[in-house]
């Protein structure tokens, strides 16, 4: 085993791993070569050298391109983490050389951008040398592939529980976000002081798909009152489309309370005096377990926690 480790240590380079990952991602030697700015024969030679070093076929070649074998997948799983740790080390060294310089890669749903814009602006003013790269995540699921692929340092998203993303992630709940029935602040619904669910049976509703928590919760509230489920006229995950319909079209929606901060043409939203079953949509910081975060990322998270705790976000 020692002999094998020494042999691999002498022949394996991180550049080789980068090339291998690019080939798998592109599904083609030619596409990977174009992406990396290399000649295709050089890419093929590096892959062949890796296979020779590991004494195993890492890729299956076919007319449609290439795909990793079970050995290739094993290298991907461990290699991505190893390469990421080296890159994290380089970022640590850069921070130690200049604590005011670095990059933070964050993923969160589009709706969070408006809620956290004040915090982002303040952070950029305080640390002009730190770049924030913010990616919009799709609707919450049980997976965060961008995070596991080390394309993100941290994700900020809604969770159903501490194990929502499996045992491979750390989940730190940042704040709870109860559900409300919302309307446009200028709508006739918002002007009514007393409203019962029975008054809303025939209302125009916009919401997320039926299997998602907000719509499930809404339908449950109607059923408990012996009422037919409301008809969702428009189904969408777009927060801004929902806000526009609430403001301009007299629609109603069940949503997390924090989204009341979203506006459309300067007009806001308002929670109606409707009691729903106690339910919250916790927002959490999610990171990969056993992955060392750079000091710059830790600094950003520290400011994020302080911002939420201060109440400035009005969640």
């Amino acid at each position: 085993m020692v002999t094998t480790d020494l042999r691999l240590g002498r022949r394996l380079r991180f550049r080789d791993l980068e090339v291998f990952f690019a080939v798998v991602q592109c599904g083609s030697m030619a596409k990977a070569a174009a992406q990396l700015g290399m000649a295709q024969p050089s890419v093929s030679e590096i892959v062949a050298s890796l296979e020779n070093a590991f004494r195993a076929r890492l890729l299956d070649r076919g007319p449609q391109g290439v795909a990793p074998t079970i050995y290739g997948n094993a290298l991907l799983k461990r290699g991505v983490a190893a390469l990421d740790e080296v890159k994290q080390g380089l970022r640590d060294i850069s921070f130690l050389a200049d604590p005011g310089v670095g990059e933070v890669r964050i993923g969160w749903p589009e709706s969070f951008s408006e809620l956290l814009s004040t915090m982002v602006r303040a952070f950029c003013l305080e640390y002009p040398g730190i770049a924030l790269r913010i990616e919009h995540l799709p609707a919450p699921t049980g997976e965060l592939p961008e995070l596991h692929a080390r394309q993100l340092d941290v994700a900020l998203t809604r969770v159903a529980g501490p194990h929502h993303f499996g045992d491979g992630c750390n989940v730190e709940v940042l704040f709870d976000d109860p559900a409300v029935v919302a309307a446009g602040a200028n709508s006739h619904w918002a002007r009514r002081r007393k409203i019962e669910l029975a008054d809303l049976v025939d209302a125009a509703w916009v919401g997320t798909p039926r299997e998602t928590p907000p719509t499930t919760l809404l339908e449950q509230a109607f059923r408990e009152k012996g009422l037919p489920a409301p008809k969702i006229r428009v189904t969408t995950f777009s927060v801004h489309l929902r806000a526009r319909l609430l403001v301009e079209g007299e629609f109603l929606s069940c949503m997390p309370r924090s989204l009341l901060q979203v506006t459309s043409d300067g007009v806001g939203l308002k929670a109606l005096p409707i009691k729903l079953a106690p339910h919250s949509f916790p927002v959490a910081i999610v990171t990969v377990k056993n992955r060392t975060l750079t000091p710059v990322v830790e600094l950003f998270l520290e400011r994020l926690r302080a911002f939420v705790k201060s109440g400035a976000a009005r969640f």
Side-chain angles (χ1 to χ4, degrees):
M1 180 61 68
V2 174
T3 302
T4 300
D5 289 344
L6 289 174
R7 176 174 53 82
L8 285 175
R10 287 192 297 267
R11 301 182 61 178
L12 186 61
R13 299 174 301 175
F14 280 102
R15 178 57 174 169
D16 297 345
L17 291 178
E18 287 184 315
V19 171
F20 175 71
F21 298 155
V23 171
V24 174
Q25 183 180 28
C26 294
S28 160
M29 300 275 192
K31 291 179 181 178
Q35 177 179 293
L36 296 168
M38 299 173 61
Q40 182 176 340
S42 297
V43 171
S44 300
E45 183 180 343
I46 287 174
V47 173
S49 176
L50 281 173
E51 291 181 323
N52 184 49
F54 284 105
R55 295 179 180 174
R57 179 176 289 276
L58 301 177
L59 296 173
D60 283 329
R61 286 82 163 167
Q64 304 303 317
V66 300
T69 63
I70 57 172
Y71 306 107
N73 279 321
L75 179 59
L76 280 172
K77 181 180 178 181
R78 301 296 183 180
V80 167
L83 192 59
D84 176 69
E85 284 298 318
V86 172
K87 291 179 178 178
Q88 294 285 65
L90 294 174
R91 294 166 73 186
D92 286 349
I93 292 171
S94 297
F95 178 83
L96 291 171
D98 187 348
V101 175
E103 180 187 55
V104 184
R105 302 167 300 176
I106 319 128
W108 62 42
E110 183 181 4
S111 59
F112 287 10
S113 295
E114 189 160 349
L115 309 181
L116 296 171
S117 61
T118 301
M119 180 264 171
V120 169
R121 184 166 57 252
F123 186 88
C124 290
L125 288 173
E126 187 175 359
Y127 303 100
I130 298 177
L132 302 181
R133 195 177 83 194
I134 300 171
E135 303 286 345
H136 286 161
L137 299 177
T141 63
E143 300 178 354
L144 284 172
E146 302 90 348
L147 189 65
H148 288 288
R150 270 61 173 183
Q151 296 168 5
L152 298 173
D153 297 310
V154 60
L156 189 64
T157 185
R158 301 189 190 279
V159 297
H163 302 293
H164 183 94
F165 297 107
D167 294 332
C169 289
N170 299 308
V171 177
E172 174 193 342
V173 174
L174 197 58
F175 64 90
D176 288 320
D177 205 0
V180 298
V181 174
N186 291 342
S187 70
H188 76 276
W189 296 113
R191 293 192 292 270
R192 295 180 59 171
R193 294 185 177 180
K194 187 176 181 181
I195 302 178
E196 302 291 339
L197 275 179
D199 301 327
L200 309 181
V201 171
D202 296 322
W205 290 85
V206 54
T208 51
R210 290 191 64 184
E211 65 274 10
T212 57
T215 302
T216 299
L217 182 66
L218 181 67
E219 292 181 344
Q220 176 187 340
F222 275 79
R223 284 197 303 270
E224 290 176 351
K225 293 290 185 180
L227 300 169
K231 294 181 180 179
I232 307 297
R233 300 282 299 280
V234 178
T235 300
T236 178
F237 279 110
S238 171
V239 172
H240 293 289
L241 176 57
R242 279 182 275 167
R244 183 168 289 276
L245 290 174
L246 265 59
V247 168
E248 298 180 355
E250 298 289 333
F251 278 74
L252 299 176
S253 186
C254 181
M255 59 174 57
R257 184 176 63 189
S258 65
L259 298 187
L260 293 176
Q261 295 184 58
V262 178
T263 61
S264 179
D265 293 333
V267 180
L269 308 179
K270 181 180 179 181
L272 300 184
I274 296 291
K275 289 186 177 181
L276 298 173
H279 188 90
S280 184
F281 305 98
V283 172
I285 295 170
V286 184
T287 56
V288 174
K289 278 187 178 179
N290 302 319
R291 185 191 185 201
T292 305
L293 299 179
T294 66
V296 174
V297 176
E298 293 284 12
L299 178 63
F300 177 83
L301 293 179
E302 177 187 318
R303 292 295 185 272
L304 175 61
R305 295 182 187 103
F307 179 73
V308 172
K309 188 176 181 179
S310 71
R314 296 184 288 112
F315 290 115

